[in-house]
Amino acid sequence: MARLKLKEHAINREWCKGCGICIHFCPKQVLELDSMEKVVAARPEDCICCKLCELRCPDLAIEVLTDQDEKNE
Amino acid sequence: MSVKDYLRERYFPHMWCPGCGHGTVLNSLLRAVEALGLNKNDIVMTSGIGCSARISGYVDFHSLHTIHGRALTFATGVKFSKPELKLLVPMGDGDALAIGGNHFIHAARRNIDMTAIVMNNRIYGMTGGQFSPLSGLGKKATTAPYLTIDNDFDVVELSRAAGASFVARTTTYHALEAVDLLKRAIDHKGFSVVEILSQCPTHFGRKNKEGDAVNMLELYKANTAKIGSKALKENPALLARGIFVDENRPEYCEEYEKIIQRATGGKK
């Protein structure tokens, strides 16, 4: 399987409630809360596209877009 | 199709509290449905009352938001009249096993083809944090300020004894595992039960000093182990996760069809 390449973290700020689950369980500490208590990708360059944030998000507010996805579509 | 295509996005952001595990259950369930490539017109979701029951409003399937504890009875009605449809029945712990306790065991006994998902947060969240039959001994709740003296049900053992032909348990921390178990449960022909431990940081977590949602997920990680794992063998006090029952048994609608054939002599 080809390694996934990060395009961007699509974060829906309207839906995010800032619970911090994605931030805490990110294996690479990519995510942070901003001053509005919404999640932002502070260090996207460290992201390994494991998509655990996307899987656990109770608000369905984060999506890890990768290049692999684009080819699949 | 992507997960979002199965959502009624106009109702978002949803009404669940920040960090509520029910959102993760919704997330996992949609991924399971997507992975199975199911058509949303072939799926019916029925739900009862409570925080968990609100899930049927957020999915773009056929949905029935019904009365307390009766999600399985409505599902039985739908399945009986249209056996070709897939029935998904998410329920809260109280909805499934207190108010709907009898419906739950009898649906399991009949082995009717549907997927019951018990979103177990161990408390009645919507009405203000009363203890439920799954709270367990020595827990604090609005209605148990001096701790509960009630024993809890074991959903897995109860479902097994009642006759469910597929029984599994996981948690919202183990989201990938939840997707996999839900896929297998939906695919299973017969009554399948998936218990998903789901954190309620607002009531259960706060009253029982389990911290916020993140901390409650850490507890799921620390206090559960896969069936057959070394960790479980060394420490049987851990809660087992995985598939407990997976058997092929005569399914109710198919058996009923046979009765129709017998009664009409094959000329329907």
Side-chain angles (χ1 to χ4, degrees):
Chain A
M1 203 178 86
R3 215 176 131 188
L4 294 178
K5 211 167 150 270
L6 178 74
K7 236 161 61 183
E8 63 165 327
H9 294 87
I11 294 164
N12 188 333
R13 293 179 64 84
E14 298 268 305
W15 293 11
C16 174
K17 291 176 186 151
C19 69
I21 289 175
C22 57
I23 299 168
H24 181 83
F25 291 106
C26 174
K28 294 288 174 189
Q29 286 83 48
V30 171
L31 306 164
E32 263 177 24
L33 281 188
D34 65 8
S35 56
M36 300 286 287
E37 301 245 307
K38 304 280 181 185
V39 73
V40 287
R43 286 165 291 277
E45 64 282 1
D46 291 345
C47 179
I48 52 169
C49 307
C50 66
K51 304 197 181 185
L52 282 174
C53 50
E54 189 179 317
L55 274 163
R56 289 209 184 97
C57 177
D59 292 294
L60 296 106
I62 187 164
E63 210 177 331
V64 183
L65 301 176
T66 56
D67 272 337
Q68 189 92 39
D69 281 350
E70 214 176 31
K71 275 181 216 145
N72 284 346
E73 272 167 19
Chain B
M1 298 232 326
S2 90
V3 166
K4 291 239 165 79
D5 295 326
Y6 292 100
L7 279 183
R8 291 177 183 150
E9 290 195 53
R10 61 188 181 280
Y11 296 129
F12 273 71
H14 58 57
M15 51 69 72
W16 291 315
C17 302
C20 172
H22 289 359
T24 311
V25 175
L26 170 66
N27 193 335
S28 304
L29 183 63
L30 292 178
R31 279 168 210 278
V33 169
E34 188 208 13
L36 291 172
L38 299 178
N39 184 334
K40 54 186 176 184
N41 291 327
D42 296 335
I43 305 172
V44 184
M45 182 182 280
T46 68
S47 67
I49 295 295
C51 296
S52 59
R54 295 295 292 264
I55 193 172
S56 65
Y58 298 124
V59 291
D60 200 19
F61 312 143
H62 300 292
S63 59
L64 282 165
H65 191 172
T66 72
I67 50 179
H68 209 355
R70 274 67 187 173
L72 284 169
T73 59
F74 283 82
T76 301
V78 174
K79 185 71 186 175
F80 234 22
S81 53
K82 291 205 174 290
E84 67 276 14
L85 297 175
K86 283 262 177 215
L87 266 295
L88 303 178
V89 192
M91 297 167 284
D93 45 317
D95 196 37
L97 292 150
I99 301 94
N102 253 297
H103 298 304
F104 185 86
I105 55 175
H106 289 285
R109 180 177 60 83
R110 294 187 184 114
N111 196 32
I112 187 163
D113 183 27
M114 56 182 64
T115 308
I117 302 151
V118 181
M119 301 156 82
N120 180 7
N121 59 9
R122 307 176 73 187
I123 203 128
Y124 291 99
M126 186 168 276
T127 44
Q130 294 81 4
F131 70 89
S132 87
L134 287 166
S135 294
L137 266 181
K139 297 294 173 199
K140 208 167 185 180
T142 317
T143 43
Y146 304 107
L147 306 184
T148 53
I149 53 168
D150 288 44
N151 291 303
D152 55 344
F153 278 134
D154 182 326
V155 180
V156 167
E157 292 309 321
L158 182 78
S159 311
R160 189 207 302 265
S165 53
F166 182 98
V167 181
R169 180 195 282 138
T170 185
T171 83
T172 48
Y173 171 79
H174 305 90
L176 262 180
E177 184 181 275
V179 175
D180 183 49
L181 293 180
L182 285 167
K183 263 164 63 181
R184 298 190 52 177
I186 294 168
D187 248 355
H188 178 80
K189 186 96 188 157
F191 192 77
S192 35
V193 180
V194 184
E195 180 191 15
I196 306 182
L197 303 187
S198 170
Q199 73 277 11
C200 174
T202 305
H203 291 294
F204 192 87
R206 188 166 53 85
K207 291 199 182 72
N208 290 291
K209 307 226 168 355
E210 289 193 357
D212 58 2
V214 165
N215 203 51
M216 292 182 84
L217 287 180
E218 287 283 5
L219 290 173
Y220 288 155
K221 183 182 170 185
N223 297 331
T224 66
K226 246 189 143 91
I227 305 175
S229 66
K230 204 169 148 232
L232 191 64
K233 214 175 244 173
E234 283 168 1
N235 184 3
L238 295 177
L239 191 68
R241 296 191 330 265
I243 297 172
F244 297 80
V245 181
D246 188 1
E247 291 169 12
N248 276 321
R249 278 194 234 131
E251 194 271 326
Y252 200 58
C253 294
E254 287 180 359
E255 294 304 305
Y256 189 62
E257 184 57 35
K258 287 181 199 163
I259 292 288
I260 294 172
Q261 296 298 334
R262 208 180 305 157
T264 57
K267 44 179 193 294
K268 196 162 55 162

